[in-house]
Amino acid sequence: MIQLVRASLIVCTLCFVFYSSEGQEPEYPFITINELSDISYPYSSEIIEVNQAALATGYWIYYSVDVELKEAPLVIFMHGYGGYNPLIYGAWIRHIARQGNIVIYPRYQRNIIFPKANKFAAKASQGIQDALEFLKTNFEYQVPASAKYVGHSYGGAIISELLIRYTEYDVPKPSIAMLCAPGTSALQGGRLDSYEAIDSSIKLLIVEENNDRVVGNEFSRKVFKEASEKMDKALIINYSQALYSRYYDAHHNVCYALDKAFDSDLRNYTTNRALEVGQTDELDYNLYWRLFDLLSIGNEKAFSLIYDRTDFPVSSDDKEGLDDLFIIHSDSLVTAPE
């Protein structure tokens, strides 16, 4: 309910929960429950929404009804091109909020055409600033020195710029950044000539889909290669595969996770496409959500699963599971196995 206020080097033991009758295909077969990926949810599923998203510099704020807002950690969730309807990622937003985070979802587009893409970072930053001001004014929110950033598609491109220019844009410094199928397709607006100046203290994770026919891998490889060798950075490649007679297509919009309780009633091509292909499944719980959870935990044991490995376990040895995902580290060639 929303109230309106408007992937083996060191392997952790994984426990898998199956939500199905025997012989039936599990709905979410690999939900992990362990000390490094806990989906026990300490906070309520009742989510408060603040909607100030009428303009291209607008924003939504989400938080669990029973979280203490004054010192809550901050997540900036950057939507993809045209994705200014939170329902597209609503289940993921709820997952993040139920772990005690405040989620700011800036709207950086008025519509599919305007503003131009080279204005996206500025518009998004204004939305973040205004959302923080709302929180300070109404809840005496103590803005943290750093925030966690996650973005999809063009949202990943915007975050890539903010990893360099967060001071210039007057937004909280990113402590971690997860870029989900980042890119700009044929558009070039908002892309930097180089990403060598990304702050090397930031933990960077890029997730790439091998069957991405929208943005491909050109942008994700560019950011990964140019980001400092001194920083913790990794590129994870998700591959299309079959499981339980079901085919998992590693397409551009795998991270869509619809929750209609977040529906703003805005409709465009992106929203309609999300309603057609978006679903919440094991790739959400065990790939995207789990990776971001590990980054958010922020300790060396959690980081080691990403930065000290060559694959990422999304299955257990005694259960049929999705193939482990190939991880490219900063000292690896940026080439994926065939």
Side-chain angles (χ1 to χ4, degrees), residues 53-75:
L55 304 176
T57 54
Y59 60 86
W60 288 266
I61 301 172
Y62 296 100
Y63 55 90
S64 174
V65 67
D66 54 358
V67 73
E68 173 53 58
L69 290 184
K70 190 171 183 179
E71 296 181 354
L74 179 64
V75 173

Side-chain angles (χ1 to χ4, degrees), residues 221-234:
R221 301 299 172 92
K222 174 179 174 62
V223 173
F224 178 77
K225 289 172 66 175
E226 294 177 358
S228 174
E229 293 298 317
K230 298 178 181 180
M231 72 188 299
D232 285 325
K233 62 179 183 177

